Amino acid sequence: MLMKEYRICMPLTVDEYRIGQLYMISKHSCEQSGGGEGVEVVKNELQVHPTHGPGQLTEKRIYLNSKLPSWAKVIVPRFFYVTEKAWNFYPYTITEYSVSFLPRFSIRIETRFENNNGDNNNVFGDTPTPAQNVSFLDILSDPIPEKHYKESEDLSRWQSTKTGRGPLQKGWREDHEPIMCSYKRVQCSFDVYGFQTKTEEFIHRNIRDILLVGHRQAVAWTDEWHGLSLEEVREFERTMQEKTNSKVKSSQNNTGQLAAPRPAFSRSISVTDERSLKKMGVTTVAFSDPSTSSVPPGPIRLNSTPE
């Protein structure tokens, strides 16, 4: 299992980001959905935790086959989804990810938000993350994939009308007020011989990009969400979830997919696939007749956009 801690600072307060986070995740999920892929919300409800108190439980299905690297498509059915379960006990959250037919794959992300510039070396209050496993991500200057770049989200050009903040300049984390930090402890595991190292490194590269893009957007969109109440942003969230679910399902129906609990496979399993799956401890019997398959017990948060 490969574990890393990411620290991402933003020119916001923790209270402000509570609204910005919900707005950003909802808007981003909707933007990324379409063509049979995207984020389908299947559960969003209140939950009370014995330790963390009242919070929100969200369960999503993330359809993203086209985003897989070519080597992974050898063992992955054409249509599949990742299950994301998120427990939001702000300013502490937990997110877990799993794939139903890959029992040895999991990602767990713990997040805590604090009003500082990332200088808390034991924010989770247990065992400090070794320094070599800690990465500071700079939303201003760290590179992101070219396909994700938008001039309107370039924080060196950003100016908030509502708050008067921006644009950010080199060294902004040292003296900017306000400032907060999103601390994320990410553990990913793919316990399959021959695939483990490559897969876990691939996951962390993608998580890094997702975190940078998501946190840049939360800041760049400040004037869209700043001033909203929690009730107002929850209503926005519900509206966007309905729109997003509709986009995913309509695209799947148009391409002949069934919006079923478990997606149907569009090709038979080859000898190579079968050998690979057996190494993972997965029997191919479950895939022989998709029409009779049933949903396995729910798994245990990559976030569509990690919180």
Side-chain angles (χ1 to χ4, degrees):
M1 178 179 290
L2 183 58
M3 190 275 289
K4 292 186 178 182
E5 181 179 313
Y6 299 95
R7 302 180 187 179
I8 313 102
C9 291
M10 290 175 285
L12 305 169
T13 67
V14 169
D15 286 341
E16 288 174 333
Y17 187 60
R18 184 177 189 180
I19 304 299
Q21 174 198 52
L22 294 172
Y23 182 92
M24 176 267 294
I25 291 175
S26 298
K27 180 177 176 178
H28 180 85
S29 296
C30 190
E31 286 186 345
Q32 296 300 307
S33 298
E37 297 193 343
V39 182
E40 178 186 4
V41 181
V42 297
K43 184 183 295 185
N44 190 355
E45 59 190 30
L46 293 173
Q47 187 175 88
V48 178
H49 191 277
T51 302
H52 306 298
Q56 197 83 8
L57 167 63
T58 307
E59 183 175 337
K60 302 176 183 178
R61 291 174 184 163
I62 307 170
Y63 300 86
L64 38 54
N65 186 269
S66 69
K67 296 177 175 59
L68 289 172
S70 58
W71 57 264
K73 293 181 181 179
V74 174
I75 60 169
V76 174
R78 183 176 174 187
F79 298 118
F80 82 105
Y81 60 82
V82 175
T83 295
E84 172 196 291
K85 288 189 176 181
W87 293 265
N88 190 339
F89 304 105
Y90 203 84
Y92 175 72
T93 66
I94 303 170
T95 305
E96 294 175 347
Y97 298 86
S98 61
V99 180
S100 58
F101 66 92
L102 293 180
R104 300 184 186 181
F105 170 87
S106 66
I107 300 174
R108 177 183 172 87
I109 304 176
E110 287 182 89
T111 306
R112 189 169 291 280
F113 306 101
E114 289 193 345
N115 286 313
N116 55 48
N117 66 353
D119 59 358
N120 188 341
N121 292 321
N122 191 15
V123 70
F124 296 102
D126 44 30
T127 303
T129 304
Q132 65 269 23
N133 290 349
V134 175
S135 295
F136 284 83
L137 304 184
D138 191 339
I139 58 175
L140 171 64
S141 59
D142 280 358
I144 61 173
E146 185 176 352
K147 63 182 179 181
H148 292 307
Y149 176 82
K150 294 181 181 179
E151 185 174 323
S152 61
E153 297 170 6
D154 187 334
L155 300 184
S156 67
R157 304 168 182 262
W158 164 71
Q159 179 74 54
S160 168
T161 301
K162 288 186 177 180
T163 66
R165 301 168 199 168
L168 298 184
Q169 300 178 352
K170 184 178 180 180
W172 70 274
R173 291 182 298 171
E174 302 303 320
D175 54 12
H176 194 283
E177 290 291 341
I179 191 167
M180 63 161 289
C181 184
S182 171
Y183 295 82
K184 292 185 174 290
R185 183 161 61 184
V186 180
Q187 301 175 65
C188 66
S189 176
F190 189 62
D191 188 17
V192 178
Y193 179 76
F195 289 91
Q196 181 172 5
T197 300
K198 180 181 289 188
T199 301
E200 292 181 355
E201 290 176 349
F202 168 78
I203 291 170
H204 274 286
R205 284 198 303 273
N206 278 269
I207 287 176
R208 176 193 176 280
D209 291 341
I210 291 170
L211 292 177
L212 278 170
V213 172
H215 288 78
R216 282 164 60 106
Q217 289 177 332
V219 175
W221 298 343
T222 296
D223 286 350
E224 297 181 31
W225 56 260
H226 199 276
L228 294 177
S229 66
L230 185 58
E231 292 73 20
E232 289 171 329
V233 78
R234 285 294 186 191
E235 180 59 34
F236 172 81
E237 183 181 48
R238 283 189 290 271
T239 301
M240 295 303 283
Q241 284 175 6
E242 292 175 1
K243 184 177 180 180
T244 301
N245 286 0
S246 178
K247 288 172 66 175
V248 172
K249 290 180 179 178
S250 63
S251 296
Q252 290 177 346
N253 291 335
N254 290 337
T255 56
Q257 299 180 48
L258 298 177
R262 185 183 225 165
F265 301 117
S266 62
R267 60 175 173 81
S268 59
I269 297 176
S270 67
V271 174
T272 301
D273 292 336
E274 186 170 344
R275 287 174 178 169
S276 299
L277 291 169
K278 283 182 178 179
K279 288 180 181 179
M280 300 177 202
V282 181
T283 60
T284 57
V285 175
F287 306 121
S288 58
D289 185 1
S291 64
T292 60
S293 65
S294 59
V295 180
I300 48 178
R301 114 190 103 100
L302 215 79
N303 198 306
S304 45
T305 301
E307 298 165 350

